Amino acid sequence: MKKVTVIIPVYNSQEWLSRLLDTVISQDFGIENIELILVNDKSTDQSLEIIKSYSQQYPESIQYIDKKINEGVAAARDDGLKRVNTPYFMFLDNDDFIDSDYVSVLYREIESEALDLVISGYRLVDINKEVIKTNSYEVKYGANYEAPCIWGSIHRTDYVRLHEISYRGRSGDDMGFVYQEFLYTNKIEYVIIGLKIQVHYHGEEDLILKKIYMKY
């Protein structure tokens, strides 16, 4: 049985998607332990073709949803969440990439301490992969409403389903999701390892991202 599901909403991300998928597939946690759910939100570029190609290469690990209506990242995440069949899951954005031990670090923390949510910091890098900023949390355990943004996190599936936590199509903002999790548990840990890598784009590429994520 697979242990962790990675949900990735996809919209017009042909430039970055393969990079992200390659970093997930090459995790030291083992692709045999990971389920990827890719939610294509009616992309108009070659994103769907990339998704299909990876799904054919890794049919036991990658499934996808091809939406016929573009509804934004919140609805895409909720659609992916409905298909989760593993004890834990995480969200990634389609322009991220992750360290080779990202999944294993977060899995080890949430599993070994019987937690409901583990949140890591992130590294912001430029297009040349030079680190611009590293963000981590000073707190260790419990709900921290001053730092609710889950740039990187892993969630216990049965906890989220028990309390019917979802985006409910309202917003792609992580804060709305994690605030709901904060309401029902204090079994939360912040870690300074296993950082997600978020890419900061400049110039024309930055404008493209802003246009994509105004709805996302």
Side-chain angles (χ1 to χ4, degrees):
M1 177 182 176
K2 295 185 181 297
K3 299 174 181 177
V4 176
T5 296
V6 179
I7 301 169
I8 306 173
V10 177
Y11 178 71
N12 286 2
S13 58
Q14 64 180 22
E15 300 297 325
W16 322 294
L17 186 56
S18 292
R19 178 187 62 193
L20 168 59
L21 295 179
D22 288 342
T23 64
V24 176
I25 290 166
S26 62
Q27 287 291 293
D28 65 9
F29 192 64
I31 187 61
E32 68 276 8
N33 295 312
I34 299 172
E35 177 86 58
L36 282 88
I37 299 178
L38 307 174
V39 186
N40 179 49
D41 197 18
K42 200 172 175 59
S43 297
T44 57
D45 64 358
Q46 297 299 305
S47 293
L48 180 58
E49 285 67 29
I50 294 171
I51 290 171
K52 288 180 177 178
S53 175
Y54 275 85
S55 179
Q56 290 171 0
Q57 293 178 64
Y58 301 94
E60 301 300 319
S61 296
I62 299 178
Q63 60 170 297
Y64 67 91
I65 301 169
D66 184 22
K67 301 187 64 166
K68 303 307 178 186
I69 301 174
N70 177 271
E71 296 182 298
V73 68
R77 287 173 176 162
D78 280 346
D79 289 339
L81 185 55
K82 292 173 185 175
R83 292 202 182 185
V84 173
N85 290 310
T86 55
Y88 308 101
F89 70 91
M90 56 179 61
F91 297 112
L92 290 175
D93 294 329
N94 57 198
D95 63 330
D96 293 333
F97 58 103
I98 55 178
D99 287 332
S100 62
D101 62 349
Y102 177 76
V103 176
S104 61
V105 166
L106 296 188
Y107 175 83
R108 182 174 64 246
E109 293 298 316
I110 197 168
E111 174 74 3
S112 64
E113 299 198 37
L115 300 168
D116 293 319
L117 172 65
V118 173
I119 299 173
S120 80
Y122 66 94
R123 294 200 305 275
L124 187 68
V125 302
D126 62 21
I127 57 175
N128 298 314
K129 298 185 180 181
E130 295 294 327
V131 177
I132 299 171
K133 176 184 178 182
T134 298
N135 183 74
S136 59
Y137 303 103
E138 295 181 0
V139 297
K140 179 66 174 175
Y141 293 101
N144 179 11
Y145 286 90
E146 294 182 358
C149 190
I150 46 175
W151 289 97
S153 59
I154 188 168
H155 313 253
R156 183 179 294 275
T157 305
D158 59 5
Y159 167 74
V160 168
R161 287 188 171 150
L162 174 64
H163 298 290
E164 299 181 336
I165 297 168
S166 71
Y167 284 94
R168 296 180 172 84
R170 295 175 302 187
S171 170
D173 187 355
D174 287 327
M175 288 187 292
F177 194 94
V178 77
Y179 277 157
Q180 294 176 70
E181 291 181 283
F182 284 177
L183 289 174
Y184 305 109
T185 187
N186 203 42
K187 296 166 65 176
I188 302 166
E189 181 183 10
Y190 296 80
V191 296
I192 60 173
I193 52 178
L195 302 184
K196 190 177 88 166
I197 302 171
Q198 180 79 12
V199 182
H200 176 71
Y201 295 88
H202 300 279
E204 182 178 351
E205 290 179 281
D206 187 39
L207 292 176
I208 292 172
L209 273 182
K210 287 179 180 177
K211 289 178 182 177
I212 292 174
Y213 284 101
M214 281 180 68
K215 184 169 184 178
Y216 261 58

